[in-house]
Amino acid sequence: MNKKNKILLLLLFVGLIALSSCSLKPLKNIQYKEFENMEDIDSDLIIVGFSQLGSESDWRTANTKSIQNALISENGFSLIFANGRQKQENQIKDVRSFIFQEVDYIVIAPVTETGWDTVLTEARDAGIPVVIVDRMIDTEDESLYAAVVGTDKHAEGMKAGIWLEKHLEKVKQASDASPDGSGTEYVEEDVNIVILEGTINSTAQIGRSQGFDDIAKNHENWNIIARESGDFTKAKGKEVMAKYLREFDDIDVLVSQNDDMTFGAIEAIQEAGLTCGVNGDITIISFDAVSRAFDMMEEGLINVVIECNPLQGDLISEIIERLENGEEVPKISYVDGKVFEAENASIDRIGRSY
Ligand code: GZL
């Protein structure tokens, strides 16, 4: 079916939805590009259906903007966006809607790793290439996707563990050189760690947990006394941290797998009458590096943030163009991230776009 007919079908589909809106529940969260008239439709546009997993965090907002800003008509694209609201069943419906509309490509940020084989087999059988972004899917069948664009979550978890090793070494050196000159023997005290995990079975939760654990297992005095999901949201992060603070009276370190959960945890810590961050009661390691996290590092409330770069739109656009031209593309492409510490936050944030 040529592009013109595809777009006619799309308009017919939209028209049917509009006419039947009184009876059918409109396909929620599906935003259609409005075409004034046929002349507005450039039949050479590459039509992309984008199933975003949700809008749960500042990181997700930046990721969505990056992709929407890259897949624009000036760059040769027509984007259909769907927000899955952090539910796999919504994303599966959205992907099926894209298949029905015979889009040219499907881009999906899968909320969790498992349960995608059936719907992605339907996409493959319909001849629609799929680009997985941000998080990964767990499948034996690599033919279900043409490419993956994301970040190395296991490496991010290891960076957090390595930072904590260095931080504790600095504390030890400061203790050994204690001002009273007594050369107090630094006792390898127990380091009590609590973890706020992201959405369970998401690549970010799996990778960051395994990466941190791979470092923690080398330290007998590191005690991970609690780990529970805050589902990457501020509200749930605050709720779980408040529970930790009720259960434990000696938390030394919080490892929070995204900044939004960290923001909630900081509120819980302060409401419990404790301090956090640089020279605080509780050392905080966070992930993402969104703008508000830099604000909090500048206030000394967060010690370190492990960056997970959400700006993936340009790379996705480039990969789709190469696929469209029949070129080979890497199966997995990672965007790099850095480690930002409170002491350097004011300088490091200069020029950042999110
Ligand atoms: C990481 C991404 C995570 C972010 C969270 O790649 O999947 O999801 O760390 C977001 O902020 O909710």
Side-chain angles (χ1 to χ4, degrees):
M1 183 185 290
N2 67 32
K3 280 249 192 306
K4 212 91 166 170
N5 291 343
K6 280 184 182 178
I7 288 164
L8 273 174
L9 182 67
L10 172 61
L11 289 171
L12 176 64
F13 176 77
V14 172
L16 286 173
I17 289 292
L19 285 173
S20 59
S21 57
C22 51
S23 55
L24 288 181
K25 201 164 92 180
L27 286 175
K28 66 182 182 314
N29 315 319
I30 300 277
Q31 297 162 10
Y32 294 92
K33 181 173 175 57
E34 298 301 326
F35 296 108
E36 281 69 47
N37 53 55
M38 287 305 288
E39 282 60 49
D40 289 347
I41 300 167
D42 176 350
S43 59
D44 294 334
L45 291 179
I46 301 171
I47 302 177
V48 176
F50 173 28
S51 169
Q52 179 58 289
L53 66 88
S55 47
E56 74 287 353
S57 63
D58 290 7
W59 187 96
R60 187 66 50 199
T61 302
N63 181 246
T64 295
K65 277 183 188 164
S66 167
I67 296 168
Q68 288 177 326
N69 291 344
L71 302 184
I72 52 176
S73 55
E74 291 79 354
N75 294 340
F77 295 95
S78 173
L79 181 67
I80 304 172
F81 176 79
N83 179 340
R85 302 208 180 283
Q86 283 191 289
K87 291 196 183 321
Q88 182 173 41
E89 62 263 30
N90 290 343
Q91 289 197 275
I92 289 172
K93 280 182 202 154
D94 296 336
V95 170
R96 288 199 166 114
S97 151
F98 297 148
I99 295 169
F100 172 79
Q101 298 168 70
E102 293 190 351
V103 298
D104 297 310
Y105 291 84
I106 289 172
V107 171
I108 180 169
V111 60
T112 50
E113 292 210 341
T114 50
W116 300 101
D117 279 21
T118 301
V119 73
L120 295 187
T121 300
E122 292 167 20
R124 183 195 59 199
D125 294 350
I128 302 174
V130 173
V131 177
I132 309 277
V133 299
D134 173 28
R135 300 178 186 175
M136 189 50 185
I137 63 170
D138 178 7
T139 181
E140 300 295 321
D141 186 353
E142 288 198 352
S143 72
L144 294 181
Y145 57 91
V148 176
V149 173
T151 65
D152 185 340
K153 313 283 192 289
H154 186 271
E156 291 164 9
M158 290 189 74
K159 287 176 183 177
I162 291 164
W163 179 87
L164 186 55
E165 285 179 328
K166 291 176 180 168
H167 173 72
L168 293 174
E169 186 53 35
K170 284 180 195 167
V171 170
K172 176 179 182 312
Q173 286 165 8
S175 164
D176 291 349
S178 51
D180 61 9
S182 63
T184 313
E185 183 52 38
Y186 175 82
V187 178
E188 286 284 343
E189 290 164 7
D190 280 352
V191 180
N192 294 330
I193 301 166
V194 294
I195 301 179
L196 285 174
E197 293 193 305
T199 303
I200 298 300
N201 192 30
S202 70
T203 309
Q205 176 268 320
I206 295 167
R208 289 170 187 168
S209 296
Q210 287 176 351
F212 183 78
D213 290 350
D214 283 351
I215 301 297
K217 70 188 178 191
N218 302 325
H219 300 275
E220 284 178 3
N221 65 319
W222 291 16
N223 304 319
I224 297 176
I225 55 177
R227 59 192 330 154
E228 195 172 317
S229 176
D231 213 15
F232 287 131
T233 67
K234 177 181 176 183
K236 188 72 175 163
K238 179 174 183 176
E239 179 190 315
V240 174
M241 188 65 199
K243 186 177 121 186
Y244 288 163
L245 290 163
R246 288 193 299 272
E247 282 178 19
F248 306 103
D249 58 9
D250 184 16
I251 298 173
D252 299 306
V253 180
L254 164 64
V255 179
S256 172
Q257 292 183 353
N258 89 323
D259 291 335
D260 290 72
M261 293 190 294
T262 302
F263 304 150
I266 289 170
E267 285 184 7
I269 291 167
Q270 293 173 332
E271 287 171 12
L274 296 172
T275 60
C276 57
V278 177
N279 303 320
D281 300 318
I282 299 176
T283 295
I284 295 188
I285 301 171
S286 190
F287 290 80
D288 281 351
V290 297
S291 180
R292 283 197 289 167
F294 278 91
D295 296 342
M296 296 206 171
M297 281 199 283
E298 287 188 276
E299 289 180 56
L301 295 172
I302 299 174
N303 296 76
V304 63
V305 181
I306 314 300
E307 184 183 28
C308 173
N309 190 336
L311 307 182
Q312 300 167 2
D314 290 341
L315 184 50
I316 293 165
S317 158
E318 179 198 327
I319 283 174
I320 292 176
E321 283 167 355
R322 290 172 64 184
L323 288 168
E324 191 67 3
N325 295 332
E327 295 174 33
E328 285 288 310
V329 296
K331 199 71 176 173
I332 294 188
S333 302
Y334 284 148
V335 286
D336 287 337
K338 298 185 178 121
V339 176
F340 296 109
E341 296 184 284
E343 295 75 8
N344 308 314
S346 307
I347 303 294
D348 288 341
R349 74 181 309 174
I350 295 170
R352 288 178 67 76
S353 61
Y354 68 95

